[in-house]
Amino acid sequence: RKEVEQDPGPFNVPEGATVAFNCTYSNSASQSFFWYRQDCRKEPKLLMSVYSSGNEDGRFTAQLNRASQYISLLIRDSKLSDSATYLCVPGTGGYNKLIFGAGTRLAVHP
Amino acid sequence: NAGVTQTPKFQVLKTGQSMTLQCAQDMNHNSMYWYRQDPGMGLRLIYYSASEGTTDKGEVPNGYNVSRLNKREFSLRLESAAPSQTSVYFCASSGAVGVTEAFFGQGTRLTVV
């Protein structure tokens, strides 16, 4: 099993839609989790950090399910500007590596 | 507001040439990383340095070497470049491994012909 697996996408949604991505991780010792956003050919930038069961920031909600070892990202009221690739990365809980998921591509259309 | 600075931003090499990618951070972070990203794919960890004076292999270390010169700087060296190393290379740093967020440089676009 890969350390981090994500829905590959692409997710094509209309403006205003609600969309959710999942990310599964294999290291049960992971305590912190991060969602990054990456625009085409740009560096990844942090979208949300999750240190407990979840986090919410405006239209974005991250939920953590430790029992099933996955974290989800929910985007409500999608905007054209949300079109990007979303990367999941679990904290390594003692292992000294920061391994990213392959990313989920989102395309929001008018 | 420099954050993480990578040089160069673009580079074309011939097969067999060597080069060093430079990375520096001004956030007093302990941990630094080098990733490569191929077209349409995710980030793959090449090497990382959990703290000054230590380096470890990541997912795809073959063909690369690294040096953690001091707390600020972490360089990546290609000793004999191959076309398979054509990629975008990102350097990142974080305060502590796997705990605080990682900040990325703008990337180096490397083409090996």
Side-chain angles (χ1 to χ4, degrees), chain A residues 11-73:
Chain A
F11 286 66
N12 295 297
V13 303
E15 277 187 288
T18 295
V19 62
F21 313 136
N22 281 334
C23 169
T24 59
Y25 60 94
S26 61
N27 184 357
S28 59
S30 295
Q31 296 296 313
S32 55
F33 303 85
F34 307 96
W35 280 102
Y36 281 77
R37 172 198 170 119
Q38 186 177 28
D39 294 301
C40 186
R41 299 175 67 80
K42 300 282 191 178
E43 73 274 23
K45 293 186 178 178
L46 182 72
L47 179 66
M48 296 187 76
S49 304
V50 183
Y51 293 100
S52 58
S53 61
N55 195 6
E56 183 172 334
D57 183 4
R59 298 182 294 108
F60 298 85
T61 300
Q63 289 288 339
L64 173 61
N65 185 317
R66 290 189 188 275
S68 300
Q69 293 186 207
Y70 76 84
I71 183 166
S72 63
L73 178 67

Side-chain angles (χ1 to χ4, degrees), chain A residues 32 36 38 41 51 96 98, chain B residues 35 37 48 98-99 102 105 109:
Chain A
S32 55
Y36 281 77
Q38 186 177 28
R41 299 175 67 80
Y51 293 100
N96 290 324
L98 206 58
Chain B
Y35 294 89
Q37 186 172 37
Y48 62 96
V99 176
R109 284 159 179 76

Side-chain angles (χ1 to χ4, degrees), chain A residues 32 34 36 38 41-44 46 51 87 91-92 95-100 102, chain B residues 33 35 37 42-43 45 48 57 59 90 97-102 104-106 109:
Chain A
S32 55
F34 307 96
Y36 281 77
Q38 186 177 28
R41 299 175 67 80
K42 300 282 191 178
E43 73 274 23
L46 182 72
Y51 293 100
L87 305 168
T92 55
Y95 292 90
N96 290 324
K97 293 183 180 181
L98 206 58
I99 303 296
F100 280 75
Chain B
Y33 317 84
Y35 294 89
Q37 186 172 37
L43 297 163
L45 182 64
Y48 62 96
K57 296 178 180 179
E59 301 170 280
F90 288 103
V97 176
V99 176
T100 59
E101 64 178 289
F104 283 80
Q106 292 184 307
R109 284 159 179 76

